[in-house]
Short mmCIF file of all heavy atoms in Angstrom, two decimals:
data_model
loop_
_atom_site.label_atom_id
_atom_site.label_comp_id
_atom_site.label_asym_id
_atom_site.label_seq_id
_atom_site.Cartn_x
_atom_site.Cartn_y
_atom_site.Cartn_z
N VAL A 747 14.04 4.69 -9.94
CA VAL A 747 15.08 5.30 -9.08
C VAL A 747 16.10 4.22 -8.74
O VAL A 747 17.26 4.67 -8.49
CB VAL A 747 14.37 6.03 -7.97
CG1 VAL A 747 14.00 4.96 -7.00
CG2 VAL A 747 15.36 7.02 -7.31
N LEU A 780 16.40 -8.04 -13.71
CA LEU A 780 16.61 -8.82 -12.62
C LEU A 780 18.06 -8.77 -12.12
O LEU A 780 18.32 -8.68 -10.84
CB LEU A 780 16.25 -10.23 -12.94
CG LEU A 780 14.74 -10.53 -13.19
CD1 LEU A 780 14.63 -12.08 -13.42
CD2 LEU A 780 13.97 -10.13 -12.07
N VAL A 786 21.69 -4.13 -6.91
CA VAL A 786 21.49 -3.11 -5.93
C VAL A 786 21.06 -3.70 -4.55
O VAL A 786 21.69 -3.12 -3.59
CB VAL A 786 20.24 -2.30 -6.52
CG1 VAL A 786 19.80 -1.32 -5.46
CG2 VAL A 786 20.61 -1.55 -7.75
N GLY A 811 25.64 4.14 -13.54
CA GLY A 811 26.55 3.39 -14.29
C GLY A 811 25.83 2.83 -15.56
O GLY A 811 26.53 2.85 -16.57
N PRO A 845 -0.56 -8.83 -24.67
CA PRO A 845 -0.66 -8.31 -23.17
C PRO A 845 -0.91 -9.36 -22.23
O PRO A 845 -1.03 -8.92 -21.02
CB PRO A 845 -1.69 -7.24 -23.33
CG PRO A 845 -2.68 -7.83 -24.39
CD PRO A 845 -1.84 -8.59 -25.45
N LEU A 886 9.45 -7.39 5.38
CA LEU A 886 8.54 -6.54 4.70
C LEU A 886 9.35 -5.71 3.65
O LEU A 886 8.89 -5.62 2.59
CB LEU A 886 7.75 -5.70 5.56
CG LEU A 886 6.71 -4.76 5.06
CD1 LEU A 886 5.72 -5.59 4.20
CD2 LEU A 886 6.06 -3.88 5.99
N ALA A 945 -2.64 8.23 -22.94
CA ALA A 945 -1.40 8.74 -23.42
C ALA A 945 -0.94 8.01 -24.78
O ALA A 945 -0.47 8.62 -25.71
CB ALA A 945 -0.28 8.62 -22.38
#
Side-chain angles (χ1 to χ4, degrees):
V747 73
L780 294 183
V786 171
L886 182 59

